[in-house]
Amino acid sequence: MFARARAITDPTGIRLNVVVEAQADGPTLVLERPNVRGRPRAVLDAYGAELLWGFIMSARIAGDQPLPDECTDGACTTRLRLAAYPEPAIFLIQAGLDRPLEIPASLWDRLYAELCLILAHLRAFRRQRELELP
């Protein structure tokens, strides 16, 4: 099973841990802000990870224009929200979280690149599993 752990840090020290964990029903992506009180974290399935991947690019293109929320359903139900003020950030809102996980714009490019790699691995893993099924 594919597993991966990376720490993304911006020039000011803002940090985001990006971890792919093996689960019985498939891999999950765990995003955690370790240097924020309470260590907020969100868990995404492959669908949520792909939606976040696209949402990051949409947020970059939107600039200072509003962007509608995007939502996933299933085991890792998530709402993605773009906030423009006071600083641009994407918020991941999930049931059971004390507060949304904030991903500041300073982390978007590195997270986008990391998601490109992760999603390529997940697609390859999914194809391999499909070939192994009778």
Side-chain angles (χ1 to χ4, degrees):
M1 173 63 207
F2 171 73
R4 183 183 188 92
R6 299 290 188 269
I8 297 172
T9 306
D10 81 355
T12 67
I14 296 173
R15 186 171 170 184
L16 178 69
N17 289 343
V18 181
V19 179
V20 177
E21 296 179 346
Q23 303 293 331
D25 57 346
T28 59
L29 175 65
V30 178
L31 301 172
E32 181 182 45
R33 294 283 307 277
N35 57 345
V36 173
R37 183 186 300 172
R39 297 178 67 104
R41 62 183 282 175
V43 179
L44 303 172
D45 56 13
Y47 171 40
E50 285 200 60
L51 194 62
L52 176 58
W53 183 47
F55 197 80
I56 291 169
M57 185 55 70
S58 292
R60 289 191 53 68
I61 292 168
D64 62 354
Q65 299 298 310
L67 189 65
D69 290 358
E70 292 287 343
C71 299
T72 70
D73 56 5
C76 299
T77 300
T78 306
R79 177 179 299 274
L80 304 174
R81 176 168 292 156
L82 175 63
Y85 300 103
E87 297 292 326
I90 294 172
F91 289 87
L92 280 67
I93 304 163
Q94 293 183 321
L97 293 181
D98 292 335
R99 63 181 179 199
L101 174 73
E102 178 183 356
I103 304 172
S106 61
L107 297 173
W108 292 355
D109 289 347
R110 296 205 51 210
L111 178 57
Y112 183 86
E114 188 63 27
L115 288 171
C116 288
L117 299 171
I118 289 169
L119 291 168
H121 285 294
L122 293 182
R123 283 189 291 273
F125 173 74
R126 192 176 311 142
R127 281 192 302 273
Q128 183 179 3
R129 266 184 76 185
E130 289 170 357
L131 291 173
E132 293 171 356
L133 293 176

